[in-house]
Amino acid sequence: MNPIKIHYNRKAPVMRRLDLPPKLVQSFLTVLRMQSYTQAAHTLNLTQPAVTQHISRLEEIIGVRLIERSRGVVLPTAEAQALMPELERFEQSAKLLFDKARAVAEGGQNSLQIATPTSLVAHLLAPATAEIRRSGTGLFPVFREVDDHRVYDMVRAGEVDFALTSMTGSDTALSCTFLLTDRPCLVCPDDHPLAGDGSVSLEDILPFELIRPPADTSANRTIGIFEKTAQAEFTYAAEASRLMTMEAMARAGLGVLILPALSARLCAHSGLVFRPIDTDEGWRSCQLIRQRHVRPSPVAHQVMEGVQNKVRALEMAMPELLSLHMPSP
């Protein structure tokens, strides 16, 4: 396969970093994501001519054509495809700058950005940060709820001060501290045939349709483990990307959920119940990750200690659902 050749316009000015306003890159990427100049303009609260001018100006600055149309579809040119990773990082860096500036303006030196799943905000981070604020520390936390697969990149790039995640890896640039494992649970309506007391077996769940969680999440990995263990495949009634949406779908009777215990406890209310699944497989392993060679700020260190204190308290309160022992390799 021949490598992509990028033909720069020799008449274009030599680009310097300060010559590239973030709004031009944002307009270009939004048009590709929305597949429409009109929808991109609406999303960015701009006029369509303004978005068109932004892309023309971006092409002029970097010296290549970026967009072509094929049968009504908006496509990046070969040159644009080669530049996409850098343009996306540029957009993300600009967003990070403004997010941090806003947080510093509102919270001063004690602002803290943390990437985390929703369930760990509810059970660990929110209680830990609330306790610190009550002590008089002017902590201003910014929780960024993201899918697990993005967490390592965010920490490595310095987009967050630290993260809680179930994603495992072996990045020597990152420090990883094990926190807990929580067991898989079934979540279903309180009038469902599987509603009841005590644990439930995997064989009992197999006949019922599931709501599929998104890929690259601990819940999805657990379901994959269960299918291998049972040598059978689940059937699915629907799919959702957020815990709140899955909860609403289960409450409506679309299907049942398989979730880690802390997620199950969070959404099992108002007509939903949860039951532990009787298995030693598929437990979620949660850890805290941060940059190894960056010294945490005093407030970040305080929050990380507070999280570990909350982990110990949770384990004492729910020994049947949580474990502080690292899973076997």
Side-chain angles (χ1 to χ4, degrees), residues 132-153:
I132 291 170
R133 284 181 60 85
R134 285 194 295 270
S135 71
T137 301
L139 172 63
F140 187 87
V142 179
F143 298 139
R144 300 180 63 180
E145 298 172 65
V146 296
D147 292 334
D148 274 330
H149 70 279
R150 283 205 59 225
V151 166
Y152 273 75
D153 288 339

Side-chain angles (χ1 to χ4, degrees), residues 235-249:
T235 56
Y236 298 93
E239 181 175 332
S241 61
R242 288 289 178 264
L243 183 61
M244 182 180 297
T245 307
M246 289 190 283
E247 174 188 331
M249 296 167 94

Side-chain angles (χ1 to χ4, degrees), residues 152 155 162-163 171-178 287-294 304:
Y152 273 75
V155 176
F162 67 88
D171 193 322
T172 57
L174 301 180
S175 170
C176 303
T177 302
F178 170 76
Q287 60 182 337
L288 185 153
I289 60 174
R290 63 177 181 84
Q291 289 187 347
R292 184 180 298 278
H293 301 297
V294 175
M304 289 189 288

Side-chain angles (χ1 to χ4, degrees), residues 84-270:
M84 284 289 284
E86 284 71 26
L87 291 171
E88 289 174 339
R89 280 195 288 271
F90 184 90
E91 179 192 40
Q92 185 60 41
S93 295
K95 181 179 183 300
L96 175 62
L97 171 63
F98 288 114
D99 285 348
K100 284 193 172 181
R102 176 179 56 80
V104 168
E106 295 179 1
Q109 295 300 312
N110 289 332
S111 65
L112 203 62
Q113 300 233 5
I114 308 165
T116 174
T118 304
S119 61
L120 300 186
V121 172
H123 292 285
L124 299 177
L125 282 165
T129 53
E131 192 171 289
I132 291 170
R133 284 181 60 85
R134 285 194 295 270
S135 71
T137 301
L139 172 63
F140 187 87
V142 179
F143 298 139
R144 300 180 63 180
E145 298 172 65
V146 296
D147 292 334
D148 274 330
H149 70 279
R150 283 205 59 225
V151 166
Y152 273 75
D153 288 339
M154 293 175 71
V155 176
R156 193 184 302 110
E159 295 180 29
V160 293
D161 294 277
F162 67 88
L164 305 186
T165 180
S166 64
M167 183 68 73
T168 58
S170 56
D171 193 322
T172 57
L174 301 180
S175 170
C176 303
T177 302
F178 170 76
L179 295 174
L180 60 86
T181 59
D182 58 342
R183 74 183 303 163
C185 293
L186 167 81
V187 177
C188 63
D190 56 14
D191 59 355
H192 191 275
L194 291 177
D197 297 324
S199 60
V200 60
S201 72
L202 184 57
E203 289 73 19
D204 289 337
I205 301 172
L206 276 169
F208 296 91
E209 291 184 316
L210 299 186
I211 296 169
R212 188 199 298 268
D216 297 317
T217 62
S218 58
N220 192 66
R221 292 193 294 273
T222 293
I223 291 172
I225 291 170
F226 285 171
E227 289 183 329
K228 289 182 180 179
T229 300
Q231 296 185 335
E233 293 186 355
F234 289 102
T235 56
Y236 298 93
E239 181 175 332
S241 61
R242 288 289 178 264
L243 183 61
M244 182 180 297
T245 307
M246 289 190 283
E247 174 188 331
M249 296 167 94
R251 184 170 287 111
L254 282 174
V256 300
L257 302 173
I258 291 177
L259 296 173
L262 294 182
S263 298
R265 278 178 58 90
L266 185 62
C267 70
H269 60 89
S270 303

Side-chain angles (χ1 to χ4, degrees), residues 9 12-13 20 24 28 37 52-68 77:
N9 182 348
L20 185 56
L24 307 187
F28 164 65
Y37 282 79
T52 302
Q53 289 171 9
H54 284 177
I55 294 174
S56 296
R57 177 59 180 153
L58 180 60
E59 292 176 329
E60 178 184 346
I61 289 173
I62 64 178
V64 298
R65 188 166 59 91
L66 295 173
I67 286 181
E68 58 187 2
T77 62

